[in-house]
Amino acid sequence: MVELKSPAEVAAMGVTGAFIADLLDDVAARADVGVNLLDLEERARELITERGAQSCYWDYSPSFGRGPFRNVICLSVNDAVLHGLPHDYVLADGDLLSMDIAVAIDGWVADSARSVIVGNPRAEDQRLVAATEEALSAAIDAARPGGRIGDISSAIGAVAAAHGYRVNTEFGGHGLGRTMHEDPHVANVGRAGRGMTLRPGLTLALEPWFTLGSERIKFDADGWTIRSFDGSRGAHSEHTIAVTEGDALILTTNGRE
């Protein structure tokens, strides 16, 4: 069931979103050559505890995972494209790191993801990250009252096609609010004019993620980390937004991105 949020509830989600933006700024600034992923996980835990927030990932047990998730941030490196389980890995020059996190403050959830390149970047990785950011911007622009969910999906898919990237349809965006995952599902490719009508108060996590090669995926033995099937690198960008009477409102921002 889709639940529309009041202006006060959207504002409360914005408080959570601003904290997430600050957290990602902090973690991204620490992601450097020689830094262990476990150190980034520990920093995210510290910030969440200091703020009195609650991790939406800790003890998360969806049908596709293996046991409860016992971390607070997903850290996906290179061909790990989603749900990367933080582990004992030291970042190397040129690594492509995607960070994804969802937390709740006073019961209201926000969710965001960002990809960064460690050290000296590869041009193809820079183009990939930029394409996910471009697709996210197009998706946000398409989230207007009276439009359809398919308009958002179509906008993301069009950017992917323009850059020559294939799109996986197994994982995409979603509604959120009191919980991390609510209806509706928002695919990263689709047909404009299809799906539910967008109405003010609808809050969505929009999250285009692309790979340099195959759209097929596979799971690591840890049961969580998802990798591209062919070993190609992936990037992921995500914001929590609210549909309004006009332009969509980005909730996971601190005004510094």
Side-chain angles (χ1 to χ4, degrees):
M1 184 176 70
V2 175
E3 294 186 1
L4 301 179
K5 312 310 188 290
S6 69
E9 290 169 338
V10 168
M13 291 178 66
V15 171
T16 308
F19 165 71
I20 285 179
D22 286 341
L23 184 151
L24 287 176
D25 283 349
D26 186 294
V27 174
R30 295 169 186 269
D32 203 353
V33 176
V35 173
N36 197 300
L37 294 183
L38 293 178
D39 293 332
L40 300 182
E41 159 74 18
E42 182 60 30
R43 179 56 177 166
R45 292 191 192 193
E46 290 175 357
L47 293 170
I48 289 171
T49 299
E50 289 171 4
R51 182 58 179 81
Q54 294 78 45
S55 169
C56 295
Y57 290 170
W58 192 268
D59 277 345
Y60 181 50
S61 299
S63 59
F64 60 81
R66 178 175 296 171
F69 196 82
R70 287 297 174 89
N71 295 89
V72 302
I73 190 169
C74 293
L75 299 172
S76 305
V77 181
N78 297 333
D79 65 318
V81 293
L82 290 174
H83 306 157
L85 191 69
H87 61 287
D88 185 13
Y89 174 82
V90 176
L91 291 168
D93 188 46
D95 276 348
L96 175 49
L97 171 67
S98 295
M99 308 167 291
D100 188 2
I101 190 161
V103 303
I105 295 176
D106 296 329
W108 291 104
V109 175
D111 188 358
S112 187
R114 190 182 305 177
S115 292
V116 297
I117 300 170
V118 178
N120 296 300
R122 303 180 185 182
E124 62 184 6
D125 290 344
Q126 291 176 306
R127 289 192 292 268
L128 180 65
V129 173
T132 65
E133 294 170 347
E134 180 185 341
L136 179 56
S137 180
I140 294 168
D141 288 345
R144 300 188 63 83
R148 301 282 185 143
I149 286 289
D151 299 345
I152 298 173
S153 300
S154 176
I156 295 172
V159 172
H163 289 276
Y165 301 131
R166 297 177 178 178
V167 179
N168 177 278
T169 58
E170 296 170 72
F171 293 91
H174 50 90
L176 74 172
R178 283 292 189 181
T179 62
M180 180 169 58
H181 288 115
E182 299 178 357
D183 291 332
H185 173 71
V186 187
N188 283 331
V189 65
R191 296 180 63 181
R194 299 294 184 90
M196 68 169 286
T197 300
L198 304 175
R199 298 166 57 191
L202 178 64
T203 49
L204 301 169
L206 305 180
E207 48 180 316
W209 61 278
F210 306 147
T211 66
L212 289 170
S214 173
E215 77 279 14
R216 296 173 60 197
I217 57 175
K218 59 185 178 181
F219 283 81
D220 270 5
D222 63 30
W224 285 102
T225 303
I226 299 175
R227 297 186 183 274
S228 62
F229 192 80
D230 62 357
S232 59
R233 292 184 169 202
H236 181 195
S237 294
E238 178 183 16
H239 270 311
T240 296
I241 63 109
V243 178
T244 72
E245 295 288 352
D247 294 340
L249 181 64
I250 302 174
L251 300 179
T252 42
T253 182
N254 52 20
R256 293 196 292 272
E257 292 93 42

